[in-house]
């Protein structure tokens, strides 16, 4: 049987931490809690489950905090958990079975992350696979009889274990704050973070969240290393910023850039809203219809599947 270290980074999680740890204590051979500055009873609750509690100075860097938590693990595998997650009894049984049979060549186990749409989180799907269990010390293995090479890609196993995500609040405000600080510091977002920032804005952002993002996404169009996907994401964000500011030249500059390169459902929705707000329901209807007609969504499915259809119904009702 493998041994598992549960590693968590927490801050002010007194309302959910015990629920999470109760669901993990049977699975864990050790529990490691890294606290990034709690002012509530989080650390006191954690002492009921482990003595491996560490303070960590928060520096707006989740990766650094997670690396610190992983550095304290001693088990063969590390399970990364968040305080607002729960593994129910059925899936705990599956997890215990996995501990018994997991083959040593497996580097990563993915689990079905369920409830992702709770509290308007940044994802488009309610359930999808996420890497959750990681081999702590990876062995390097030579492959092939001739022209041999070291296996570099991890061996990943997709399990049937479901992890329930039960957040009590939306974390977008925290995420936007980190993104905005990165922009203020002139940090270049990776392709992944560029997409995640644009996606989170369109899924759960408000007007006040879009405007500070303008500087970050303007840089995309002066960065020759950015690809067409990133420029399309930036165009959507900048068109929304322009619509918020009622900057018509800026709005059509980025809307036309996007439409000329193939368009997307999000930009069709933006055009529909522009014409609707400017009392042209016929043109608005045309763009909302385009948004739902099968054109690709690049950031948030809800614009094609929910918001544009709602606007079409609204226009229809106003004509009656």
């Amino acid at each position: 049987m493998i041994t598992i270290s549960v590693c968590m980074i927490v801050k002010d999680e007194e309302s959910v931490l015990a629920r999470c740890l109760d669901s993990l204590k049977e699975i864990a051979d050790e529990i490691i809690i890294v606290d990034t500055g709690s002012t509530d009873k989080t650390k006191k609750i954690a002492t009921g489950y482990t003595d491996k509690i560490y303070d960590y100075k928060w520096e707006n860097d989740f990766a650094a905090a997670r690396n610190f938590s992983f550095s304290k693990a001693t088990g063969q595998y590390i399970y990364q958990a968040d305080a607002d997650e729960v593994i129910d009894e059925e899936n705990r049984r599956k997890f215990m079975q996995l501990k018994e049979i997991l083959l040593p060549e497996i580097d990563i186990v993915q689990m079905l992350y369920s409830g992702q749409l709770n509290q308007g989180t940044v994802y488009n799907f309610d359930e999808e696979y996420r890497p959750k269990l990681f081999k702590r010390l990876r062995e390097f293995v030579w492959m092939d009889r001739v022209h041999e090479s070291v296996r570099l890609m991890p061996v990943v196993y997709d399990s049937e274990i479901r992890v329930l995500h039960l957040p009590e609040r939306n974390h977008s405000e925290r995420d936007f704050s980190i993104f905005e600080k990165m922009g203020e510091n002139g940090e270049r977002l990776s392709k992944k973070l560029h997409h995640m920032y644009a996606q989170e804005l369109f899924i759960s952002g408000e007007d006040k969240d879009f405007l500070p993002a303008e500087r970050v996404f303007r840089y995309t169009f002066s960065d020759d290393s950015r690809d067409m996907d990133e420029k399309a994401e930036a165009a959507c964000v900048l068109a929304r910023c322009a619509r918020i500011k009622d900057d018509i030249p800026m709005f059509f500059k980025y809307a036309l850039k996007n439409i000329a390169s193939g368009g997307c459902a999000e930009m069709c929705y933006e055009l529909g809203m522009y014409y609707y707000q400017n009392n042209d329901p016929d043109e608005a209807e045309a763009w909302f219809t385009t948004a739902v007609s099968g054109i690709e969504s690049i950031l948030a499915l809800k614009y094609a599947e929910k918001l544009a259809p709602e606007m079409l119904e609204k226009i229809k009702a106003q004509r009656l």
Side-chain angles (χ1 to χ4, degrees), residues 77 103-110 131 133-141 143 150-158:
Y77 283 80
L103 298 174
E105 59 264 33
I106 301 296
D107 297 308
I108 297 173
V109 177
Q110 296 205 121
L133 187 67
F134 305 87
K135 194 169 188 178
R136 185 173 66 86
L137 296 176
R138 187 178 174 196
E139 299 169 352
F140 289 96
V141 178
M143 301 169 58
V150 172
R151 188 187 75 216
L152 298 177
M153 297 297 291
V155 178
V156 179
Y157 171 63
D158 290 343

Side-chain angles (χ1 to χ4, degrees), residues 111-207:
M111 300 179 186
L112 287 162
Y113 205 67
S114 303
Q116 291 195 138
L117 300 185
N118 291 329
Q119 292 289 351
T121 49
V122 68
Y123 299 94
N124 281 307
F125 303 98
D126 197 53
E127 181 175 273
E128 62 185 353
Y129 273 114
R130 278 197 190 181
K132 294 293 289 179
L133 187 67
F134 305 87
K135 194 169 188 178
R136 185 173 66 86
L137 296 176
R138 187 178 174 196
E139 299 169 352
F140 289 96
V141 178
W142 288 90
M143 301 169 58
D144 300 322
R145 292 174 181 267
V146 65
H147 300 301
E148 69 282 358
S149 60
V150 172
R151 188 187 75 216
L152 298 177
M153 297 297 291
V155 178
V156 179
Y157 171 63
D158 290 343
S159 75
E160 296 181 357
I161 298 168
R162 280 180 167 79
V163 179
L164 300 178
H165 185 216
L166 302 173
E168 293 193 326
R169 59 187 181 275
N170 189 316
H171 297 297
S172 291
E173 184 175 347
R174 173 202 66 191
D175 295 348
F176 291 143
S177 175
I178 294 174
F179 282 128
E180 288 165 20
K181 284 186 174 67
M182 293 178 72
E184 291 168 3
N185 294 335
E187 296 181 50
R188 185 185 188 278
L189 299 184
S190 66
K191 181 178 175 68
K192 171 194 167 186
L193 285 184
H194 189 278
H195 176 74
M196 293 296 289
Y197 191 7
Q199 181 172 275
E200 191 158 5
L201 283 167
F202 270 82
I203 288 177
S204 57
E206 300 176 5
D207 288 359

Side-chain angles (χ1 to χ4, degrees), residues 247-311:
D247 185 335
I248 306 308
M250 176 181 166
F251 176 80
F252 279 103
K253 173 183 177 179
Y254 292 107
L256 290 174
K257 283 180 181 291
N258 179 265
I259 296 300
S261 63
C264 62
E266 292 85 354
M267 190 62 81
C268 291
Y269 178 85
E270 289 300 316
L271 284 159
M273 287 303 299
Y274 168 80
Y275 285 109
Y276 182 80
Q277 291 170 347
N278 284 274
N279 301 313
D280 190 342
D282 292 338
E283 192 66 19
E285 181 180 30
W287 285 108
F288 289 135
T289 300
T290 303
V292 302
S293 65
I295 192 169
E296 181 185 15
S297 291
I298 63 172
L299 295 169
L301 294 175
K302 68 178 184 178
Y303 286 87
E305 297 180 354
K306 181 176 185 291
L307 298 181
E310 287 177 352
M311 290 305 301

